[in-house]
Amino acid sequence: MTDVNAYHVEPKKIDEEIEEVEIKEELAIQTVGLKKHFGRGYNLVKAVDGINLEVKEGEVHGYLGPNGAGKTTSMLMIAGTIRPTAGKGYIFGKPIGSPAANKQLGVAIANPKFWKTMSAYKYLVYMGQLHGLEKTLAKERAKEFLHILEMTQHGHRLPVAFSTGMKAKLAVAQALMHHPRLAILDESTAGLDPESRFKLVNTIKELADILGTSIFVSGHILTEIEKLVSRVTIIVKGKIGLQGITLREMRKEFSTGQFSLECSNPEQVMQDLFNMGVTSQIFMDHNNVIIFTSDFIDSVYAWLPEILKRNGAILQQFGPLEVTLEEVFINVISKRYGSDFLYEDKILEEFQDEQKGIFGRLTRRSK
Amino acid sequence: MEEITQPDISAIVPMEIDSKRKRRKKDGKRSFGLFIIFQKTFRELLSLRRVLSYIALSIVFPFVFTMIVSGQLTGTLADMSIDFQIATVVNYFAFYSFFWNAGILLILYCGLIASTFISSEESGGTLIFLLTKPIKRTTLYVGKFLGYFANMAILQIVSLMFGLTITCTLFDVSSAVFMAGMKFLVPIYLYALLMIAVIGLMLGFLSIINKRMVISVLVIMFQIIFIYFLGIIFRVAIPTYYESGHLYLIDIGYNLSLIFTTFLGYFGFQPIPFFQQNFGLFFGTYVSMFSDVSEFIGSADPENGLTFLLPETGYINPIVSIIVMVAITALLFILGIIILERKDIGPQ
Ligand SMILES: Nc1ncnc2c1ncn2[C@@H]1O[C@H](COP(=O)(O)OP(=O)(O)OP(=O)(O)O)[C@@H](O)[C@H]1O
Ligand SMILES: [Mg+2]
């Protein structure tokens, strides 16, 4: 009988905890224990499993994760098209899925679809009006954005006949034309060629700067994301793997402590550095760049000009080896799920573990 | 087509810079989401091709039927008393309307449109964009419904006017008869509006829970068969059981015809034998006698033709019929909105 009471108390507690969370209106996105489970029984997919996101106003926030991690699902929950199973979310303090929240929001998704009978220009006008823009203003903005995205000459064409790149641009235009305070872009540059992608990313960044729009962006091309974002969140299997960290913090945290030195005559320079005895793990990579770690980096800085001079070498580049977002990404995923995460059979195995329940998962984690 | 002019480049960026916050507040006059959606739906449905095909189809039935009937009449209708002329025209017109203009054709058209309200946007991948706009899902649904309703309401009055004109022209009656017949457009139109709303909300509900066109078409066909042809089978095959088993309660055709004749009755409609015969046979509104139609038309004396009345069956109070129909529709509307509000719309 006492057991029954215990069960009654627990869920209440959890509810209260969620209620207690302070709604921060200054945050562009705030989610508390946001969950989305699809299906039941054997088909149960915990697409998003209790995430707490925080995206600050005015920042460009990257949202990364491997395929099927739950990026799209969580973004669409914030955008209000998918209803959460549990948890709460706010856009500038307004509950997600409400018109008040969507008023401040613009959303573009990968592979956007359009109406078959509406020209690109009319589409933009319509979308602007739906966002509450008055008709003349919507028209003005539509023209403006067609121009900014270099599509003015295609304005009267039907977007269903557009190329992938143009469709993506049109989707971005409809997401930004009403000058939202927050834009959610889910792989908006998927399927674009490198040049168009570069242009689109730059345009988005410029517009965001000008309009003061916060951007929450996902994607798989990390070199591009790296250029765009100031902070990133990594999601793995519906759970947060790395929470809202700035690129600088990230570099520090994931830094290997390595330095790289690029100069002429690398062999001799490396020999001299080695003889100095202040470096460790010194080696040369296949691009003839010297890589080393050092506990006495100040002495290295002090001696380097001398060493170079002695060997008649010219310095090309020297500094701490920067970790790329890609490396962090793989690091985080492997940290959480073991370095074999990317092998399919391991994923399958884990899937089976999950079917077995919590115990299966626990034993795997502890490995 | 509106010219898409290059905007003044110098105006683009500076305008935004000094006004990024102010502008958001300044926008002031805002578009109404409901109206915007209403407008788009209405305009799209009002395409010339659609209107013309509807009007063309709507006059086929009155045209063919009147041609046949006027050929069977002994003498011309114009020679008979004015009351008889009016009664004949109005009765035939009411018959066409119930069967075709505000009947099968209307159900087909309304059904096909309404069953795509949500489903076409969903399978077309455009719904996801609409849902990211600051508009309630309910508003979206209601806006679409209203756009469709306004559109069909206009098409329907045009279709009925054409129907009456064709009937009068082929019976070769005077314009006085036409004017007298106009009065009966009101109850018929009211009934048609009721049908547009009911079919729209029923199939609109289907559009929320079903994306497959095949299912929608099957449901519409089934509906038409159920309304127009199931009752007659019941009454012919199991005439005693129809009454004793209270089958009329689930006979939609009977209930609709009851509502229709009641509406007409409020406007002083007097049924002629042809009308009573067929409504009795198909829908059970009158006590039916299974005999040849032409016999009644031929034997109907200009003077006493109007007095040849079959009794109404009166199984159900028509008010109850209407209330139940409206209640079921309202229930489906509310249920549809609840389902729509909870629905997950993901990327295609
Ligand atoms: N409607 C749905 N029904 C069932 N499962 C779903 C549904 N939508 C998504 N999922 C599942 O949820 C998980 C997360 O999917 P999601 O699309 O959010 O991943 P993602 O991070 O966007 O991946 P990608 O990088 O490939 O776009 C996947 O395992 C997917 O199969
Ligand atoms: Mg995705």
Side-chain angles (χ1 to χ4, degrees), chain A residues 38 45 47 66-73 187 220:
Chain A
F38 289 110
V45 180
N67 288 125
K71 300 181 295 296
T72 303
T73 308
E187 293 182 47
H220 289 295

Side-chain angles (χ1 to χ4, degrees), chain A residues 56-117:
Chain A
K56 298 193 174 109
E57 168 147 39
E59 74 176 356
V60 181
H61 197 113
Y63 195 37
L64 311 175
N67 288 125
K71 300 181 295 296
T72 303
T73 308
S74 40
M75 284 175 138
L76 289 182
M77 267 196 283
I78 296 164
T81 80
I82 290 180
R83 301 297 196 198
T85 308
K88 292 190 170 152
Y90 305 92
I91 295 174
F92 293 108
K94 303 285 189 306
I96 53 173
S98 68
N102 286 8
K103 195 138 217 156
Q104 337 207 34
L105 178 71
V107 182
I109 55 168
N111 305 317
K113 304 284 193 320
F114 305 94
W115 287 286
K116 292 190 179 73
T117 53

Side-chain angles (χ1 to χ4, degrees), chain B residues 66 69-70 73 77 88-89 92 96 167-173:
Chain B
T66 314
V69 171
S70 59
L73 281 179
L77 197 58
T88 308
V89 165
Y92 277 100
Y96 305 151
T167 312
C168 286
T169 313
L170 291 183
F171 273 129
D172 198 19
V173 291

Side-chain angles (χ1 to χ4, degrees), chain A residues 36 57 80-81 83 102 113 115 121 126 130-134 137 141 144 147 156 174 179 211, chain B residues 2 4 6 16 21 23-24 29-31 40 121 124 129 131 133-135 137 341 344-345:
Chain A
K36 183 71 203 184
E57 168 147 39
T81 80
R83 301 297 196 198
N102 286 8
K113 304 284 193 320
W115 287 286
Y121 170 67
Y126 180 59
L130 281 180
H131 243 293
L133 299 185
E134 188 233 334
L137 183 59
R141 294 275 177 85
E144 213 172 276
H147 174 76
H156 281 309
Q174 84 46 62
H179 300 179
L211 305 175
Chain B
E2 188 179 342
I4 302 180
Q6 292 256 340
E16 316 295 5
R21 281 281 157 67
R23 203 172 172 98
R24 267 181 216 130
K29 208 173 126 195
R30 291 188 168 276
S31 298
K40 177 171 180 272
E121 303 275 7
F129 283 102
L131 295 189
K133 302 294 168 201
I135 284 171
R137 297 180 180 196
E341 285 288 346
D344 291 331
I345 306 298

Side-chain angles (χ1 to χ4, degrees), chain B residues 105-141:
Chain B
L105 181 69
L106 189 74
I107 294 172
L108 259 178
Y109 248 72
C110 289
L112 286 176
I113 296 170
S115 63
T116 64
F117 278 167
I118 300 296
S119 60
S120 67
E121 303 275 7
E122 194 183 344
S123 47
T126 46
L127 186 58
I128 193 162
F129 283 102
L130 290 176
L131 295 189
T132 65
K133 302 294 168 201
I135 284 171
K136 276 193 193 153
R137 297 180 180 196
T138 311
T139 311
L140 177 72
Y141 182 58

